[in-house]
Amino acid sequence: MAQVESEIKESSTNESEALIATLPTREGWSTPLTLYNKCWLRSHMLRRFMLVRDNFKPRRDDIILATHPKSGTTWLKALAFTISTRSRCDFTDSPLLTNNPQRVVPFIGAMGGDLDFLETLPSPRLLATHLPPSLLPPAISTVGCRVVYLCREPKDAFVSRWHFDNKMSKGAPITLDDAFSMFCEGFSPFGPFWDHYLQYWKESLARPQEVMFLKYEEIVSDPLTVVKKLASFLDVPFTEEEEKSGVVDQVVSFCSFESLRNLDVNKTGGAERAGGKIFIQHSSLFRKGKVGDWVNHMSKEMGEKMDRLVEEKFRGSGLEF
Ligand SMILES: Nc1ncnc2c1ncn2[C@@H]1O[C@H](COP(=O)(O)OS(=O)(=O)O)[C@@H](OP(=O)(O)O)[C@H]1O
């Protein structure tokens, strides 16, 4: 890992190094965050993200799964991968049976998705990112890549974030109150969350053929409809024959929380750094998978405060939760 970091540093320009030195950095979550272009990013990932913006070469037929963290990235990766590879791999020999979805669909520039590696992948590539449009290369929209964006009701996304960061934290536990203040202030990984949601929302209104906007809750409430819409958007619509023979239902059940969580790879495996040390347990990506779990952690007052904030930030945009 140290070697990778030093290579990244070497390829980063003096100009970006000088800029990084001036950026505000703040502690509070499991790792420090740095404010870059109005977005709080994990400080140790910043150089990678700058390299993505400057060096990632999108291809016209790339499909990019963009998510606000803790909104169901793992789920969307599993669904999009299963839908788009169904003509060549069966449910019984799917790579998802032995790999976590996060590994099967690489993040652009992070966690196994180094830019050189992405160049070697055949088209059409299925890629992922947590970055907002403002931090992605503008070529993604000018060449016309399709983007599927997934976000989640903010109170549930917050509770999921708090649990995850507490698991990752090597220091003292992060209290719910502290995490709540930071999240509502806009200080959270890839936050402020409202800017992230709104940037993709506006893109989806401006370019609906290229940007599909989804909410976690709509997949939970009507997975069959969303999976069919997603397949059409990915240009691999289900045939009538497939629909009649229950393939859509099979995709939904294969990618469900229970089915993925119960696979050995997701019960015991983890994302490894060079040297084999696990830094994210796959099981931590499958906590509860419920809509409305916030009530089990946040007070009524906290819920009302977050709702007012969301109402205020999204007012007039047409986006609602
Ligand atoms: N298959 C499936 N179906 C439904 N829900 C699922 C699924 N897989 C993961 N999850 C839930 O998604 C939450 C994790 O979000 P992400 O995958 O976006 O995490 S990450 O940001 O990429 O680390 C996390 O939510 P919480 O349980 O509320 O914490 C996971 O449980």
Side-chain angles (χ1 to χ4, degrees), residues 29 68-72 75 151-165 176 179-180 183-184 193 197 215-218 220-221 284-285 287-299 302-304 306-307 310 321:
W29 295 96
H68 186 261
K70 315 322 292 177
S71 293
W75 194 12
C151 61
R152 187 175 188 182
E153 196 287 318
K155 299 191 291 302
D156 281 343
F158 159 70
V159 165
S160 184
R161 157 61 57 208
W162 172 64
H163 277 284
F164 186 79
D165 263 54
L176 185 80
F180 183 73
F183 197 79
C184 290
F193 71 86
Y197 290 24
K215 295 178 188 163
Y216 182 94
E217 298 70 32
E218 63 183 310
V220 171
S221 73
S284 67
L285 296 165
R287 190 184 61 90
K288 266 194 176 172
K290 291 269 177 273
V291 171
D293 184 46
W294 68 270
V295 289
N296 297 314
H297 302 279
M298 290 162 63
S299 64
M302 283 171 145
E304 286 168 357
M306 182 93 87
D307 287 347
V310 166
F321 285 91

Side-chain angles (χ1 to χ4, degrees), residues 75 215-229 252:
W75 194 12
K215 295 178 188 163
Y216 182 94
E217 298 70 32
E218 63 183 310
I219 318 185
V220 171
S221 73
D222 191 355
L224 292 177
T225 301
V226 175
V227 163
K228 283 192 268 182
K229 267 189 357 199
V252 169

